[in-house]
Amino acid sequence: MSFYNKMTKTELENEKIKLKKKYENFKQMNLKLNMSRGKPSTEQLELSSGMLNNITCDDLSKTEDGFETRNYGMLSGIPEAKKFFANILDVTPDMIIVGENSSLSLMYNCVHIAMQFGILGNKPWKDIENVKFLCPAPGYDRHFAICEIFGIEMISIPMDENGPDMDKVKMLAESDPLVKGIWCVPKYSNPTGITYSDEVVRKFAALKPAAQDFRIFWDNAYVVHHLSKKHDELLNIFDVCKDYGSEDMVLEFTSTSKITFPGGGISAIATSEKNVQSILEIMSIQTICNDKINQLRHCLFFSTSQKLDSHMQAHASIIKPKFDLVLEKLEEKIKPFGIGSWTNPNGGYFISFNSMNGCGKRIGELCKQAGVVLTNVGATYPYGIDPYNRNIRIAPTFPPIKELSIAMDVFCVCVKIASIEKLLREYE
Amino acid sequence: MSFYNKMTKTELENEKIKLKKKYENFKQMNLKLNMSRGKPSTEQLELSSGMLNNITCDDLSKTEDGFETRNYGMLSGIPEAKKFFANILDVTPDMIIVGENSSLSLMYNCVHIAMQFGILGNKPWKDIENVKFLCPAPGYDRHFAICEIFGIEMISIPMDENGPDMDKVKMLAESDPLVKGIWCVPKYSNPTGITYSDEVVRKFAALKPAAQDFRIFWDNAYVVHHLSKKHDELLNIFDVCKDYGSEDMVLEFTSTSKITFPGGGISAIATSEKNVQSILEIMSIQTICNDKINQLRHCLFFSTSQKLDSHMQAHASIIKPKFDLVLEKLEEKIKPFGIGSWTNPNGGYFISFNSMNGCGKRIGELCKQAGVVLTNVGATYPYGIDPYNRNIRIAPTFPPIKELSIAMDVFCVCVKIASIEKLLREYE
């Protein structure tokens, strides 16, 4: 075995013939495998079964402050749920608004509010031509989709193992008043799995954006989603913001979608008191209150932070072997040929794979034809355009381990074929 | 006893002195009574206790179409929940989108979508100056609040026992392309309790609005909320729309907020397939899915329409005596003096009271000072301005019957005092 780029044309051609045979065999298996979305597996869902029937009328009739959970009211959430999220995010409960099941919809709502009504008295973005967002990439496709639907121009920011390129972020945010925001997944980032370094977090807090209504969308989706005992530590951005008086600049989001039930969880915003007030003002027109019964369900289930910890360890013990399997397959089947690089995260839901430049879409195509669905290649970049056409987000959590193993075998063969095709094109 | 307007000045002054004494006695009781919002009572909440712990993992792992309810997906709702709402609203399941807990937030979202993105390819309302909505009044304050926050001009439409003044609706909607919508609570209307007549519904379906993107916001909040066996029947607007090809014009909303738990229920939009598709397109950016576990909980609890019927009868048996009490008090204490008129609804959550013109705010003030909170007087009209200053929405469901009785005694004294004050002013 040797690196493909050291092989002669004939060696490559022979290798390709062998691989094509394997590939055809896979095709004949009529596989239907999916590594596209960050979905918990059924086994993980069972971990939260105890939450389905854990509530009585007595629990509900009185929350901590004596409020009837089953009736209208408490727009910002029940006290227990605010404390729950405050503990997770290491902020104070008065910084929390508890949402419905989806942190994505909270993010959408914050963009909508800025668009339609403006942030804290600033001009509504709808009345400004060419609002721009910074988009560290590869990143989360659903963030980019929000920008796209609102017509917000997206500017890609390169990512490395410490987070976004902060020189570029600073330069753009501080010089251009049309730059109104940035999307971040600061811990176990989607898809690279890295956690922003302390220095990066400090540089965020220290930003002096040209736009007064610049907002950091700090999507802390994977805050407690460790894969092993080796946890990444993310600096608390609000703590650092205090030094700069920049607390209003940060909107932090999280949810229990991958703690309890995707779609059946609860979500939260954490932000400055001033932002909390102004968001609640609009929310009071949007709804009467969120689902407080589900809030209390969660708080009863996670009555102590130890319970949450052990619950997340149980998740990890199910999904860590899947991450390990993906990494082993890549080590074994890709590494010897020098045709890709990938991340080895301590948490989160993804492994980010970079093929040789220009091979991404072809790999996705080959996988699809063999019945293995990957996240759309390119989706991890604004407008779905990966400038290097190489980044593939692998989501190992959902498939059973046997299926994942086959899916990875298919994937590796596809990577190899696409790489050889590319190298052979260079002879043309 | 005689009508106040037949009394001499001296008689009125003597009457006022007696009433003021009663009023002062009430004040000394330090009452804290609330008839302001349409909230179910605690007793009503208990009716749905069986829904809190009625679900197992087995139920959840497979919905009708084999989908895993506990995981992401099924943006428009699980098939069971679509059928549930389709039955209630007498439409087909493909016309249904199941939302989160709040139909209000679905309505807000539809206005937002029209504002930001435009309806079915029409110009976004944000790019049109002076968008207008028709607002049958008295109506629901939270509808008006949505218009107000979006800067939509509200035009009041008079209501009578058959619904809105359809000549006026037709004239305005068909002549002015800036008129983009109308708010309706067509059954057991908020606050008047009336149900739109067949003729009114037919006239709605037959509208040929000047604006292609004119939408009827058909808030069928009280569709199954009968007070006795004497049900009002609302003509199915979609059936009539078929005759005119006007199905796209109607957005119907409902929720289980006052069936199961306010804030812990589920909600739905019913509309044409074309509207469903275009709303889902935006919703797919706003969220990954709604809370399907709560959807299934509801569907298991109301596994047959008989169960829903008897559940609603149980609600009625709790709240009907409260409505009766309010009506008795008004008959006894107000009617003999000719100082007010009110509705006697067959369902819904409100009794709408009209004082003598010009007395509404004073009644609210007097009640408040005596510890009885009413819906803000004026709130039932656009911009909170009741042109006659007379309409008061009485919400009898929440207080225990003893408290309601005292609250109504206070209310009646306040109505009398305010009426006499008005009549005495005429002597000045």
Side-chain angles (χ1 to χ4, degrees):
Chain A
M1 286 195 293
S2 69
F3 274 30
Y4 279 176
N5 65 3
K6 301 269 162 65
M7 284 187 185
T8 65
K9 193 184 173 195
T10 317
E11 284 171 327
L12 285 171
E13 280 166 342
N14 289 337
E15 179 79 359
K16 190 181 165 188
I17 289 165
K18 276 192 257 166
L19 288 164
K20 276 283 191 181
K21 253 189 212 157
K22 280 196 189 175
Y23 180 72
E24 288 306 321
N25 286 340
F26 282 131
K27 265 178 111 172
Q28 312 232 317
M29 292 166 73
N30 287 316
L31 300 169
K32 269 189 189 169
L33 305 171
N34 196 315
M35 296 195 293
S36 74
R37 305 291 329 173
K39 280 170 74 166
S41 62
T42 308
E43 213 183 336
Q44 288 175 269
L45 300 176
E46 303 284 342
L47 296 176
S48 303
S49 302
M51 214 189 67
L52 293 171
N53 299 307
N54 70 335
I55 210 162
T56 67
C57 277
D58 267 4
D59 298 324
L60 285 161
S61 62
K62 295 281 169 207
T63 51
E64 271 184 22
D65 60 353
F67 200 89
E68 167 62 76
T69 314
R70 292 169 297 177
N71 221 321
Y72 288 121
M74 311 217 81
L75 182 60
S76 60
I78 60 171
E80 291 89 337
K82 288 195 214 179
K83 275 189 206 163
F84 171 73
F85 281 118
N87 283 339
I88 288 179
L89 297 175
D90 192 18
V91 298
T92 55
D94 57 334
M95 293 174 70
I96 297 284
I97 299 171
V98 187
E100 289 288 82
N101 68 333
S102 160
S103 58
L104 187 70
S105 79
L106 290 176
M107 294 176 224
Y108 179 97
N109 202 20
C110 286
V111 174
H112 152 62
I113 289 171
M115 273 279 155
Q116 182 68 39
F117 308 111
I119 291 176
L120 299 179
N122 288 280
K123 204 182 209 185
W125 295 352
K126 71 178 166 53
D127 301 329
I128 298 169
E129 270 199 38
N130 207 21
V131 166
K132 301 170 196 170
F133 258 55
L134 307 180
C135 300
Y140 181 32
D141 54 350
R142 291 187 187 271
H143 289 162
F144 304 154
I146 291 175
C147 278
E148 207 159 352
I149 202 168
F150 279 107
I152 295 172
E153 187 186 330
M154 290 181 272
I155 302 171
S156 270
I157 302 289
M159 289 274 290
D160 66 19
E161 66 280 12
N162 296 307
D165 177 340
M166 289 309 293
D167 291 340
K168 205 165 170 195
V169 168
K170 184 179 162 74
M171 191 270 287
L172 289 163
E174 297 192 348
S175 68
D176 185 351
L178 293 175
V179 171
K180 296 291 190 188
I182 184 167
W183 292 111
C184 298
V185 184
K187 192 163 178 183
Y188 304 135
S189 192
N190 179 348
T192 67
I194 64 105
T195 294
Y196 292 10
S197 71
D198 291 0
E199 197 189 340
V200 163
V201 176
R202 277 199 196 94
K203 283 181 176 170
F204 266 111
L207 281 178
K208 305 271 174 230
Q212 279 197 339
D213 51 355
F214 178 90
R215 287 294 176 272
I216 300 168
F217 285 71
W218 200 248
D219 182 1
N220 211 344
Y222 305 107
V223 53
V224 292
H225 301 61
H226 318 291
L227 276 171
S228 66
K229 290 201 172 149
K230 195 175 151 203
H231 295 185
D232 289 0
E233 296 295 336
L234 175 69
L235 199 62
N236 183 335
I237 189 166
F238 286 111
D239 285 349
V240 196
C241 280
K242 274 180 205 150
D243 299 339
Y244 298 93
S246 59
E247 298 98 321
D248 292 343
M249 192 167 59
V250 181
L251 299 167
E252 185 169 14
F253 303 89
T254 197
S255 82
T256 67
S257 292
K258 292 181 183 86
I259 297 175
T260 59
F261 300 116
I266 56 175
S267 64
I269 310 180
T271 188
S272 71
E273 214 175 311
K274 218 195 266 182
N275 286 335
V276 163
Q277 284 318 312
S278 77
I279 292 166
L280 285 177
E281 216 173 282
I282 308 291
M283 269 180 67
S284 73
I285 307 295
Q286 297 175 321
T287 190
I288 305 179
C289 62
N290 293 318
D291 185 347
K292 302 185 298 294
I293 296 180
N294 202 22
Q295 289 175 26
L296 192 55
R297 241 180 236 292
H298 276 75
C299 296
L300 291 171
F301 192 60
F302 298 116
S303 53
T304 63
S305 59
Q306 285 73 30
K307 284 195 182 161
L308 178 61
D309 289 347
S310 61
H311 185 83
M312 293 316 294
Q313 279 166 30
H315 274 293
S317 69
I318 296 169
I319 64 177
K320 178 71 159 57
K322 298 185 180 184
F323 276 79
D324 287 346
L325 175 78
V326 169
L327 294 169
E328 280 157 24
K329 292 278 184 189
L330 294 172
E331 284 289 321
E332 179 197 330
K333 295 174 189 274
I334 301 296
K335 198 173 186 186
F337 304 99
I339 50 174
S341 60
W342 51 89
T343 55
N344 183 352
N346 292 324
Y349 262 64
F350 305 105
I351 287 165
S352 178
F353 178 86
N354 279 336
S355 68
M356 295 169 74
N357 288 355
C359 294
K361 283 207 176 295
R362 178 63 178 150
I363 294 168
E365 207 177 277
L366 286 164
C367 280
K368 195 178 168 188
Q369 283 167 17
V372 174
V373 179
L374 302 171
T375 308
N376 276 342
V377 178
T380 52
Y381 281 80
Y383 307 105
I385 300 166
D386 171 0
Y388 309 102
N389 183 16
R390 70 179 181 193
N391 186 251
I392 294 171
R393 187 181 77 166
I394 299 174
T397 54
F398 185 68
I401 203 142
K402 272 191 191 165
E403 292 186 12
L404 182 67
S405 175
I406 302 169
M408 281 307 297
D409 288 342
V410 175
F411 176 76
C412 291
V413 166
C414 295
V415 171
K416 285 173 167 178
I417 292 173
S419 305
I420 290 177
E421 284 174 351
K422 176 197 155 107
L423 290 166
L424 283 175
R425 270 197 305 278
E426 285 167 12
Y427 289 100
E428 280 166 15
Chain B
M1 285 193 294
S2 69
F3 273 32
Y4 280 176
N5 64 3
K6 302 269 161 68
M7 285 186 184
T8 64
K9 192 182 172 196
T10 317
E11 283 171 327
L12 286 171
E13 279 167 343
N14 289 336
E15 179 80 0
K16 190 179 166 189
I17 290 165
K18 276 191 256 165
L19 289 164
K20 277 282 188 181
K21 254 190 210 155
K22 279 195 188 175
Y23 181 71
E24 288 307 319
N25 286 340
F26 283 130
K27 265 177 112 172
Q28 313 232 320
M29 292 165 74
N30 287 318
L31 300 169
K32 270 188 189 171
L33 304 171
N34 196 316
M35 295 194 295
S36 75
R37 305 294 325 174
K39 281 170 75 167
S41 62
T42 308
E43 213 183 336
Q44 287 176 270
L45 301 175
E46 303 285 343
L47 296 176
S48 303
S49 302
M51 215 189 66
L52 292 171
N53 299 307
N54 70 336
I55 210 162
T56 67
C57 277
D58 267 4
D59 298 324
L60 286 160
S61 62
K62 294 282 169 207
T63 52
E64 270 184 23
D65 61 352
F67 200 89
E68 167 61 78
T69 315
R70 292 170 297 177
N71 222 322
Y72 288 121
M74 311 217 80
L75 182 60
S76 61
I78 61 171
E80 291 88 338
K82 287 194 214 179
K83 275 189 206 164
F84 171 74
F85 280 118
N87 283 338
I88 288 179
L89 298 174
D90 192 18
V91 299
T92 55
D94 57 335
M95 293 174 71
I96 298 283
I97 299 171
V98 188
E100 290 287 84
N101 68 336
S102 160
S103 57
L104 186 71
S105 79
L106 291 176
M107 294 176 225
Y108 179 98
N109 202 21
C110 286
V111 174
H112 152 62
I113 289 171
M115 272 279 157
Q116 182 69 39
F117 307 112
I119 292 176
L120 298 179
N122 288 281
K123 203 181 209 185
W125 296 352
K126 72 176 166 53
D127 300 330
I128 298 169
E129 270 198 38
N130 207 20
V131 165
K132 300 169 197 171
F133 259 55
L134 307 180
C135 299
Y140 181 31
D141 54 350
R142 291 186 187 271
H143 289 163
F144 304 153
I146 291 175
C147 277
E148 206 159 356
I149 201 168
F150 278 107
I152 295 172
E153 186 187 329
M154 290 181 272
I155 302 171
S156 271
I157 302 288
M159 289 273 289
D160 66 21
E161 65 280 12
N162 295 307
D165 176 340
M166 290 309 293
D167 291 340
K168 204 166 174 196
V169 167
K170 183 178 161 73
M171 190 270 287
L172 290 164
E174 298 193 349
S175 68
D176 186 349
L178 294 175
V179 171
K180 295 293 190 187
I182 184 167
W183 292 112
C184 298
V185 184
K187 192 164 180 183
Y188 305 133
S189 192
N190 179 348
T192 67
I194 63 104
T195 295
Y196 291 11
S197 70
D198 291 359
E199 197 189 340
V200 162
V201 175
R202 278 200 196 94
K203 283 181 177 171
F204 267 111
L207 281 178
K208 305 272 174 227
Q212 279 196 339
D213 51 355
F214 178 89
R215 287 296 177 268
I216 299 168
F217 285 70
W218 199 250
D219 182 0
N220 210 345
Y222 305 107
V223 55
V224 292
H225 302 61
H226 318 291
L227 276 171
S228 67
K229 289 199 173 151
K230 195 174 151 204
H231 295 186
D232 289 0
E233 294 296 336
L234 175 69
L235 198 61
N236 183 334
I237 190 167
F238 286 111
D239 284 349
V240 196
C241 281
K242 274 179 205 151
D243 298 340
Y244 298 93
S246 59
E247 298 96 321
D248 292 343
M249 192 167 58
V250 181
L251 301 167
E252 184 170 14
F253 303 89
T254 199
S255 82
T256 68
S257 293
K258 292 183 183 86
I259 297 174
T260 58
F261 299 116
I266 56 175
S267 64
I269 309 180
T271 188
S272 71
E273 215 175 308
K274 219 195 264 181
N275 286 335
V276 164
Q277 284 319 312
S278 77
I279 293 166
L280 286 177
E281 217 172 280
I282 309 291
M283 269 181 67
S284 74
I285 307 294
Q286 297 175 323
T287 190
I288 305 178
C289 63
N290 293 318
D291 185 346
K292 302 186 297 295
I293 296 179
N294 202 23
Q295 289 175 26
L296 192 55
R297 240 180 237 291
H298 277 74
C299 297
L300 292 171
F301 192 60
F302 298 115
S303 54
T304 64
S305 60
Q306 285 73 30
K307 284 194 183 163
L308 178 61
D309 289 347
S310 61
H311 185 84
M312 293 316 293
Q313 278 166 29
H315 275 293
S317 68
I318 296 169
I319 64 178
K320 178 70 161 54
K322 298 185 179 183
F323 277 78
D324 288 344
L325 175 77
V326 169
L327 293 168
E328 281 158 25
K329 293 277 183 189
L330 293 172
E331 285 288 320
E332 179 197 329
K333 294 174 190 270
I334 302 296
K335 198 172 183 188
F337 304 99
I339 49 175
S341 60
W342 51 90
T343 55
N344 182 353
N346 292 322
Y349 261 64
F350 305 105
I351 287 166
S352 180
F353 178 86
N354 279 336
S355 67
M356 295 170 76
N357 287 356
C359 295
K361 284 209 176 294
R362 177 63 179 150
I363 295 168
E365 208 177 276
L366 285 164
C367 281
K368 196 178 168 189
Q369 283 167 14
V372 173
V373 179
L374 301 172
T375 309
N376 276 340
V377 178
T380 52
Y381 281 80
Y383 307 106
I385 300 167
D386 171 359
Y388 308 103
N389 183 17
R390 71 179 181 193
N391 186 250
I392 294 172
R393 188 181 75 166
I394 300 175
T397 54
F398 186 67
I401 203 142
K402 273 191 191 164
E403 292 185 12
L404 183 66
S405 176
I406 302 170
M408 280 308 296
D409 288 341
V410 175
F411 176 76
C412 291
V413 166
C414 295
V415 171
K416 286 175 170 176
I417 292 174
S419 305
I420 290 178
E421 284 174 352
K422 177 197 154 104
L423 290 167
L424 283 176
R425 271 198 306 278
E426 286 167 14
Y427 288 99
E428 280 164 16

